[in-house]
Amino acid sequence: IPYKQLTVGVPKEIFQNERRVALSPAGVQALIKQGFNVVVESGAGEPSKFPDEQYTQAGAAIKDVKDVLASDLLVKVRAPTFNPALGIHEVDLMKDASTLVSFIYPAQNPELMDMLSKKKTTVLAMDQVPRVTIAQGYDALSSMANIAG
């Protein structure tokens, strides 16, 4: 599938006190440059001091949560969870056969993995990336530790 036919979704994190966002405006710009379509939930970057205007300047479209979760490729910081504002689990709003990139902790979340499996979701668990030199560019755990430090 050509990149221009794929949509990358960046939802707002709903986990209590989570201030991170999965993609910065610079990350969005890099994906747009490669040909992807990017949709960002309104207010997703606010806790990280990235207003919606910066995402639109980078080339993203600002959409509501349902449109974002229905993307072909979904990037999240925290694993999908029940959304109390909508009264539905985020997985139930995801597109069938989509791809999810997030911290998942699969061994600790068998019920979530089962839900994702039923949706035929491809899951890239960032917490499972090996912490070795060759994978250093993808080592999200170390980068989060550097930010926290």
Side-chain angles (χ1 to χ4, degrees):
I1 299 174
Y3 291 164
K4 65 182 176 184
Q5 293 179 10
L6 295 175
T7 301
V8 177
V10 183
K12 185 175 186 174
E13 298 294 329
I14 59 172
F15 191 85
Q16 186 176 4
N17 297 324
E18 179 59 71
R19 301 183 61 82
R20 296 173 292 174
V21 63
L23 275 178
S24 68
V28 167
Q29 193 172 29
L31 289 174
I32 297 286
K33 191 174 184 180
Q34 296 223 345
F36 289 96
N37 299 300
V38 180
V39 293
V40 177
E41 183 180 348
S42 180
E46 293 293 334
S48 298
K49 307 295 185 214
F50 297 126
D52 289 348
E53 296 78 39
Q54 288 185 9
Y55 285 104
T56 55
Q57 289 171 0
I62 304 298
K63 301 275 185 161
D64 71 3
V65 63
K66 291 179 182 179
D67 288 332
V68 172
L69 290 174
S71 299
D72 301 301
L73 178 94
L74 191 64
V75 291
K76 283 182 59 53
V77 175
R78 298 281 185 153
T81 188
F82 181 79
N83 187 324
L86 297 176
I88 191 167
H89 201 285
E90 289 177 315
V91 172
D92 294 329
L93 295 172
M94 290 172 59
K95 181 178 179 178
D96 286 345
S98 62
T99 299
L100 171 67
V101 180
S102 181
F103 289 97
I104 295 289
Y105 302 97
Q108 298 167 7
N109 294 305
E111 292 171 3
L112 174 61
M113 295 306 295
D114 187 49
M115 289 176 74
L116 292 164
S117 174
K118 288 177 182 170
K119 291 284 254 186
K120 297 184 182 354
T121 304
T122 299
V123 178
L124 301 173
M126 294 307 296
D127 49 278
Q128 297 297 304
V129 173
R131 300 183 85 185
V132 295
T133 304
I134 197 165
Q136 196 168 22
Y138 302 100
D139 183 1
L141 294 174
S142 291
S143 68
M144 290 299 101
N146 286 340
I147 290 170

